[in-house]
Amino acid sequence: RHEEALAELTSALELYRGLHGTRWRQADCLHGMGLVLREAGRPEEALASFQDALNLYHQVEDAEKEQAGCLNITGITLRRLGRYEEALREVRAVRRMRGDSSLRAVEADAERGLGHPEKAVEIIDSTDPSTLDLAEQVELVLVSSGTRADLGQAEVGLVIVDDALAALPAAADDELRRRLMEVKAQRLLDLGREDEAAEVVAAMPAE
């Protein structure tokens, strides 16, 4: 299905390239292609497509929202590839455009990846979780717990994720609950509490 989607987007892109005044639509096609490529496990190709989309969005008036969205996914993709310095640059560009607390977890995790756990803690502690949606709050908790483990504070990391699980709404997506429980199990393993970790894994929602 990924190949079908890419074929359709490529056809649309070629069509728009032959028409005047369609840079915005061309950028949308390229952004869409990047999302499909990322989902298909082809992140480097996805990044190239996102960059082409950004180049076009920059040429269009009133496309700030689209630019920010494209920079957002670019930063996340770079982080997952371990390209942390580039990820930081893109994430901070998004926040300058939005003027909010977007992608604080991605920024903190990038600092963590660069070997700066103390800086990651500063970013996390300076973020007001109430300004984030639930998925972003969970992401921040996961990064916070991992950062504490990096600092040799696995017990603190366990408390952080336990508190988040206790506060998670009953109607929250199972994927969010599962990710928190995965990290809880890892913190228990870090502390040598294998039996408790196994219990947590057994209690996870099915995928």
Side-chain angles (χ1 to χ4, degrees):
R1 305 186 76 175
H2 291 135
E3 293 305 320
E4 291 176 18
L6 284 172
E8 290 179 10
L9 286 164
T10 301
S11 295
L13 178 61
E14 291 305 315
L15 175 64
Y16 289 130
R17 279 175 171 163
L19 300 173
H20 180 69
T22 61
R23 286 178 178 169
W24 195 321
R25 291 187 181 276
Q26 291 177 47
D28 286 345
C29 286
L30 287 161
H31 188 183
M33 290 168 68
L35 293 173
V36 173
L37 288 163
R38 185 173 179 272
E39 201 174 287
R42 296 157 62 181
E44 296 288 356
E45 292 173 78
L47 285 172
S49 193
F50 292 143
Q51 188 57 60
D52 288 343
L54 283 168
N55 290 340
L56 286 170
Y57 282 135
H58 286 315
Q59 300 173 37
V60 179
E61 290 185 8
D62 302 320
E64 288 81 6
K65 180 179 178 182
E66 287 73 15
Q67 286 180 45
C70 199
L71 283 167
N72 183 333
I73 194 65
T74 299
I76 292 170
T77 304
L78 285 165
R79 179 190 62 158
R80 290 185 178 174
L81 285 170
R83 293 163 60 176
Y84 299 116
E85 290 184 356
E86 295 171 80
L88 281 173
R89 184 176 63 244
E90 302 300 340
V91 164
R92 287 165 179 165
V94 172
R95 271 215 312 284
R96 282 196 299 274
M97 295 179 73
R98 290 180 174 170
D100 61 14
S101 296
S102 299
L103 302 174
R104 293 294 274 180
V106 176
E107 180 181 12
D109 202 35
E111 290 287 6
R112 180 185 168 203
L114 288 168
H116 308 150
E118 294 86 357
K119 180 62 176 175
V121 170
E122 288 178 19
I123 292 167
I124 293 162
D125 288 348
S126 67
T127 303
D128 179 1
S130 68
T131 64
L132 309 175
D133 64 29
L134 184 58
E136 288 178 310
Q137 289 177 33
V138 167
E139 190 70 23
L140 195 68
V141 166
L142 300 178
V143 175
S144 181
S145 179
T147 302
R148 290 297 180 176
D150 292 347
L151 290 166
Q153 302 169 8
E155 191 70 55
V156 176
L158 178 60
V159 170
I160 289 169
V161 76
D162 262 338
D163 288 348
L165 278 165
L168 196 67
D173 191 290
D174 278 351
E175 175 63 20
L176 297 180
R177 192 176 307 278
R178 183 166 48 250
R179 293 184 68 204
L180 286 167
M181 292 178 76
E182 285 174 352
V183 170
K184 177 176 180 176
Q186 184 57 57
R187 292 294 82 79
L188 287 166
L189 288 172
D190 293 341
L191 293 164
R193 294 157 63 177
E194 289 86 357
D195 290 346
E196 292 173 77
E199 290 174 8
V200 172
V201 171
M204 285 181 193
E207 292 192 36

